[in-house]
Amino acid sequence: MTSSQPTFELPDFYMPWPARVNPNVQGARIHCKEWAYRMGILGSDEDAVWDEKTFDAMDFAGFAAATHPDAPALELDLLSDWYVWGWFADDYFAKTFEVGNQDVRQAKSYIDRVMSFMATDLSTPLPEPKNPTERALIDLWFRSAPTMSQQWRQRFVEHYRTLSYTALRELFNQDKNQERIIDPVEYVMLRRQVSGMFWSADLVEHSLAAEIPAEIYNKRPIRVLKDIFCDSVALRNDIISYQKDIDEGRSNNCVMVAEHFFNTEIQDAVNFVNDLVTSRLFQFEHTMTVELPPLLDEYGLDSEARYRVFRYVKALQDWMAGDLEWETRPGGRYIPAGSKKESPLAGPKGLGTAAARIGLSPAAMGLRVRTYNYIPFQTVGEIPLPEFYMPFSTGLNPHLEEGRRTSKEWAYEMGMIGIPGISFWDEQRFDAIDAALTCALVYPKAAKTVYELATKGMVWGFYLDCVFDGRYLATRDIVGGRVFLARLLALISSDSGPMLMPTNPSERGLVYLWQRMTSCLSAEDKEEMRGLLVKIFESWAWQLDHQAQNRIPDPIDYVETRIKTFGFDFLMLLNQSEKMPPELYDSQPVQSMHKAGANVSSLVNDIVSYQKEMESEGILFNSVLITQHFLDCDVAKAVEIVNNLITARVREFEHIVATELPALCEDFDLDTRAREQLFEYVEQLQFMMSGMLKWHLGGSYYKEPEFKRDPSPRNLFNAPTALGCSAARITSLLSSVGIPQLGTEAEPVAETLPSLPTGLGTSAMQIAASLAETPQPETEAEPVAESLPSLPTGLGTSAMQISSMLETGLTHKRHLW
């Protein structure tokens, strides 16, 4: 491509924090130029990338002074040198390996050698440097690493490794298919990794001579702040550097991705990317003010640790504001000299002019208003489903009918069906969901024992989702919802303390599943499984917070969190009998393939469940709704865009399998069994995508007649033979609300009861008398018979009357919810 591309106007960039300049900037300019000459970055024909004029125009010391306005003079010198080295390494890599010389193996060797100069153990002998990149890195590492902890060094090295190997992956794909433009979701993930912003965040910690407390570094608020720091800078840079990237023949630019995905004009694509940046900055403000303080309270950080965290957040703000100022200066790295475009931070000065300086444009304000103006429980009507692209197929597990029978019996035993005031389902709702069919489609090759346990796990997941959405999200009950989730986690605590007693169907189901799923697992695997559930419950707490604030999520935050709220990782683990080696599973192609599969399954759910969620649940967590509000478009257009994204994610999955996995097998030198494990994992992901789609399209759960029907049980014996139910059924129902059970696992409870009279004319008194004849164990609790109300008698007493009386007597149980 050439510079004849259409031009566009730079948008009004939103920047809520003022840019400042470090007063030590002039000294840093003198120092870093002298250092660049000494390292061979300047003044040497060997590996020359810049001349002195180009170096001066880019003004890396000015960049460091703008992004670290409070750094001491010596620290500013060090930071300036790091940024010189970072841009030099980036430009050298592009010159040597990207432009007409896509030698992937040679590039990998270059990266591996560079990484060898950053040893986390400072006593490790290093290779002899052979070029300016290596000489400069040795100097920088030994000026930086000794003052930081081992954890910081490991993070810094890992962040640069991720950056380098992401660049290598881009190079590989460019070599295989130069015309291929990836989808927006994939692009954002890759751009975040290749931008170098994570190690810039590490340098922010170094500049403060203070580190984020290790116990909170990977928690959601800190992680989200770092991700936004990366995204806002990198995506805004894509707008500013668009022409430069086009002139250099690069296709890794978000503006180009948006042009291609939306099939739109360049100005519209630029405005879309700018709205993404604005939304990310809104999310930064939200996370900083709403999510961060409770995290610090939760971990009981002292005042000194809190001060470190807040200084870090403030330093990230300074960095983003200073970067915008530096990037938009005419005559710098991106804006040509003589450009008439003023810096976005230029403008009126003085009292009362702050809004004019911080980018509160009509577009930015419109986006902020749309974030909070949703009115829930609107009637949207049935939407026509699009034609979904799905090149994969699945089978049907042969144990389907057995799974339907055993999972329904289990649901009754847990109390998920049939108990007034407790159960959230009746049998019709259970049958409409048909969790056994879901499992039969997504695990078509699973053995009987694995399939039946997975089916119970799926039943529990559906039930938990219904309870959480109905009791807590719909009512915006933050306290109740968090207590509910905290109790679930306490039931599977890895601590050796006493376990809570389960008090409701959700908790009983979890205890049952946890005991059986982890009985043969190692402590490490058990902790991994618990970690997946922790992530799911944390994502549901995230939903609670947004629902209470009536805040429609930021699109990028939603897409990334949706994988967790959907429980995709946990579903994949249910049928994973033999895990891949960790280094293979953690590789970028496998992780990208996994996320693509998760996006497809969750976004399909968003389209199919849209009417149910908007009309019946009033929730805000649906990609169709988020697209409507973010793009200010109608529902038909939003559905089209979400479906296009689903198609793009499927095609990304296909590309990885066809192109990147064979190369991955060679890189890791996988043996036959390891290759089989890898492609079994690929097959399971395909089953997940195709099976979920088939279940969504074929069932009645999301249809209006079903979701508008009240599924709450109206009588105690809510079963096909209401008054003629068995003793086992009655025992299961009573035990699930706290009535002591008899017998042991070796002696089923049902067998310890006398035969109960059945039939349409059986009175409540007859049933109660038969139960009373059964010996009851002594307990400290109030005897069950005394805690029940007097029951009506007579041949014509209906089940509804019995249910009503029992419900009154069991009211004291409900506080446990």
Side-chain angles (χ1 to χ4, degrees), residues 126-143:
L126 300 181
E128 188 68 25
K130 296 181 179 180
N131 54 54
T133 303
E134 296 171 358
R135 284 193 294 273
L137 183 55
I138 289 178
D139 176 82
L140 290 168
W141 187 242
F142 283 97
R143 290 162 62 197

Side-chain angles (χ1 to χ4, degrees), residues 66-99:
T67 54
H68 302 274
D70 297 321
L74 286 178
E75 182 68 20
L76 185 63
D77 290 347
L78 174 62
L79 294 168
S80 300
D81 295 346
W82 266 116
Y83 293 127
V84 169
W85 179 84
W87 262 295
F88 176 81
D90 182 60
D91 286 357
Y92 176 81
F93 188 88
K95 174 187 174 183
T96 307
F97 303 112
E98 290 183 11
V99 184

Side-chain angles (χ1 to χ4, degrees), residues 435-447:
L437 176 61
T438 313
C439 283
L441 291 168
V442 299
Y443 309 128
K445 295 183 178 181

Side-chain angles (χ1 to χ4, degrees), residues 12-144:
D12 292 321
F13 294 116
Y14 175 67
M15 179 48 62
W17 310 293
R20 298 179 294 125
V21 177
N22 194 301
N24 302 300
V25 61
Q26 292 302 332
R29 285 189 174 114
I30 295 171
H31 164 84
C32 75
K33 181 184 286 190
E34 184 275 330
W35 180 83
Y37 271 111
R38 184 155 43 90
M39 295 297 111
I41 290 174
L42 290 177
S44 173
D45 293 334
E46 175 195 10
D47 301 319
V49 174
W50 307 318
D51 57 22
E52 185 174 330
K53 181 179 179 181
T54 304
F55 182 90
D56 289 341
M58 289 187 288
D59 191 13
F60 297 114
F63 172 81
T67 54
H68 302 274
D70 297 321
L74 286 178
E75 182 68 20
L76 185 63
D77 290 347
L78 174 62
L79 294 168
S80 300
D81 295 346
W82 266 116
Y83 293 127
V84 169
W85 179 84
W87 262 295
F88 176 81
D90 182 60
D91 286 357
Y92 176 81
F93 188 88
K95 174 187 174 183
T96 307
F97 303 112
E98 290 183 11
V99 184
N101 183 27
Q102 290 86 10
D103 189 333
V104 177
R105 290 188 178 277
Q106 186 179 354
K108 185 176 185 300
S109 299
Y110 168 80
I111 291 171
D112 290 341
R113 181 169 169 82
V114 168
M115 295 304 304
S116 69
F117 289 92
M118 288 188 288
T120 56
D121 182 356
L122 300 181
S123 64
T124 302
L126 300 181
E128 188 68 25
K130 296 181 179 180
N131 54 54
T133 303
E134 296 171 358
R135 284 193 294 273
L137 183 55
I138 289 178
D139 176 82
L140 290 168
W141 187 242
F142 283 97
R143 290 162 62 197
S144 306

Side-chain angles (χ1 to χ4, degrees), residues 707-732:
F707 73 70
K708 286 196 173 180
R709 187 184 62 80
D710 183 2
S712 303
R714 291 308 183 188
N715 67 73
L716 179 62
F717 311 110
N718 195 354
T721 54
L723 287 180
C725 61
S726 67
R729 178 62 54 78
I730 294 173
T731 304
S732 174

